[in-house]
Amino acid sequence: PPRSTLFPYTTLFRSQARLQRTLTRVRNPAASRALVDQILGENDQKAAVAATQLHVRIDSEGRNRLRETAGDPDRSIAIRRQAVRALGYARDHRSLVLLPRIARDEPSLATEAASALGRIGGNEATGDLVAMLEHPDEILQRSVVRALGEMRDVPARDALLDEIARRPVDDPLIVPILDALAEIPIHRGVELIVGLLASEAPEVRRAAAWALAEASGPGVFEGLVAAANDPDEEVRCAALEAFQDRARPDDAGWLVTRIGDSSRSSDERGFALRALLAAAGRYAHTPEEPWLPGVAVEQVLLALRDPEGDLALEAAAHAYHAGPSVGPRLVELCADVEASPA
């Protein structure tokens, strides 16, 4: 059936989003009023789309209307929620006093207020979010942690590390904190995360390995290598994924063994292959390691013949790391009528 009958609102939704994006580029009071009217209207879908398009284009009158609505207890919770969300997307720093008060006085808006503070960012917002972590509501705590992670600045990162330091290993917030730290450069307190790789809980070890993806410091490399041999498969996959940009020529042996181990999952073998190819790309022009690109090419060709196909897709997506020498071999494989379709 036509797509329009399966998803009747798709075309309309996209058209509205494009019109609202256009409004954000028109810097005049009428455009600002139109966006704020949609945010404060009864149509939740239009309000959500309009709120995400604000950025910095809304004028002072529109920001005042949003702040007044967000703090007005006589307005409906739904409308106030849209106003709070819009203030976050608008990066409205004048809301930094209002949003913590809303979170305190109206529990149903607390998670939205935390997300808005995270989008606004800055030291003051970080302090407000850390204070909100004392609230007993675990859902709110997780929203606060997510907001701190999305800020991606030094004060927020340090606040998350401080929370790891002061909480017991079995605290239910440890895993969300580690997830929030993933892909954030960490240079301080890495020993806290490395220590969590020895946790008895596999979900903590998995999150700790992933959190070390952008970390540097004592014990990070050794910790990830140890985690790559963890008894839990998800921990091994997370460690191998975090290990990609750290693999050295000396690691080629065990990575090749891991890639060729058919008893392992395709995901785990694929992460090992990606780490090997990344190392080959980094050391391609190093005269001391002339053999590494050749090893990588052979592993790519073997993986491309994988009967299940998943490992073949991984090899095809990252084969370019092996260097120019892989090109002619790939051409030969494409012409091989006996090769699998994958």
Side-chain angles (χ1 to χ4, degrees), residues 264-339:
R264 309 272 183 168
S265 69
S266 296
D267 286 339
E268 184 176 349
R269 296 168 69 195
F271 286 129
L273 176 62
R274 201 183 299 181
L276 178 66
L277 289 173
R282 287 196 305 276
Y283 291 92
H285 303 293
T286 305
E288 292 81 7
E289 312 293 345
W291 52 271
L292 188 57
V295 171
V297 169
E298 292 304 320
Q299 291 303 310
V300 166
L301 296 175
L302 288 172
L304 285 169
R305 295 179 181 274
D306 178 55
E308 295 184 5
D310 292 339
L311 193 60
L313 291 174
E314 191 70 37
H318 300 279
Y320 64 91
H321 283 300
S325 59
V326 75
R329 304 293 296 276
L330 292 177
V331 172
E332 292 175 8
L333 191 58
C334 288
D336 186 353
V337 294
E338 297 183 359

Side-chain angles (χ1 to χ4, degrees), residues 39-42 44 69 75-84:
I39 292 168
L40 302 181
E42 299 295 333
D44 289 345
T69 303
R75 301 296 295 268
S76 70
I77 293 297
I79 297 298
R80 293 180 69 191
R81 180 176 292 111
Q82 297 293 5
V84 169

Side-chain angles (χ1 to χ4, degrees), residues 64-334:
N64 288 335
R65 286 180 62 196
L66 291 174
R67 285 192 291 268
E68 290 172 2
T69 303
D72 186 353
D74 294 330
R75 301 296 295 268
S76 70
I77 293 297
I79 297 298
R80 293 180 69 191
R81 180 176 292 111
Q82 297 293 5
V84 169
R85 180 179 301 159
L87 289 170
Y89 280 112
R91 312 288 199 274
D92 185 58
H93 287 268
R94 293 183 63 183
S95 301
L96 290 175
V97 176
L98 172 67
L99 292 172
R101 188 172 73 242
I102 291 174
R104 183 180 62 253
D105 297 342
E106 186 52 69
S108 59
L109 294 175
T111 57
E112 199 66 63
S115 298
L117 285 168
R119 294 188 185 102
I120 294 171
N123 291 343
E124 187 176 348
T126 299
D128 291 332
L129 288 169
V130 171
M132 291 169 68
L133 282 173
E134 301 302 323
H135 197 283
D137 185 358
E138 187 176 333
I139 295 177
L140 175 57
Q141 290 179 338
R142 288 173 179 265
S143 297
V144 169
V145 166
R146 192 180 309 115
L148 287 168
E150 290 174 352
M151 289 168 71
R152 299 181 65 84
D153 60 13
V154 173
R157 179 202 65 193
D158 290 348
L160 291 171
L161 290 171
D162 291 341
E163 288 298 317
I164 291 178
R166 77 180 188 89
R167 292 175 182 269
V169 177
D170 59 352
D171 190 292
L173 210 57
I174 289 292
V175 170
I177 291 173
L178 291 169
D179 288 340
L181 286 169
E183 300 184 3
I184 297 178
I186 302 173
H187 312 291
R188 182 188 76 85
V190 292
E191 66 279 358
L192 295 170
I193 303 176
V194 172
L196 292 174
L197 291 173
S199 168
E200 294 182 0
E203 63 273 14
V204 173
R205 301 198 303 273
R206 187 273 310 163
W210 180 233
L212 291 171
E214 298 293 333
S216 60
V220 173
F221 182 89
E222 294 78 9
L224 287 175
V225 172
N229 293 287
D230 192 274
D232 185 88
E233 180 188 333
E234 289 189 4
V235 178
R236 295 196 301 270
C237 287
L240 285 167
E241 189 168 7
F243 189 69
Q244 287 177 46
D245 295 329
R246 308 173 192 271
R248 302 175 300 195
D250 294 344
D251 300 306
W254 69 268
L255 286 173
V256 168
T257 301
R258 186 70 54 91
I259 297 166
D261 188 350
S262 59
S263 66
R264 309 272 183 168
S265 69
S266 296
D267 286 339
E268 184 176 349
R269 296 168 69 195
F271 286 129
L273 176 62
R274 201 183 299 181
L276 178 66
L277 289 173
R282 287 196 305 276
Y283 291 92
H285 303 293
T286 305
E288 292 81 7
E289 312 293 345
W291 52 271
L292 188 57
V295 171
V297 169
E298 292 304 320
Q299 291 303 310
V300 166
L301 296 175
L302 288 172
L304 285 169
R305 295 179 181 274
D306 178 55
E308 295 184 5
D310 292 339
L311 193 60
L313 291 174
E314 191 70 37
H318 300 279
Y320 64 91
H321 283 300
S325 59
V326 75
R329 304 293 296 276
L330 292 177
V331 172
E332 292 175 8
L333 191 58
C334 288

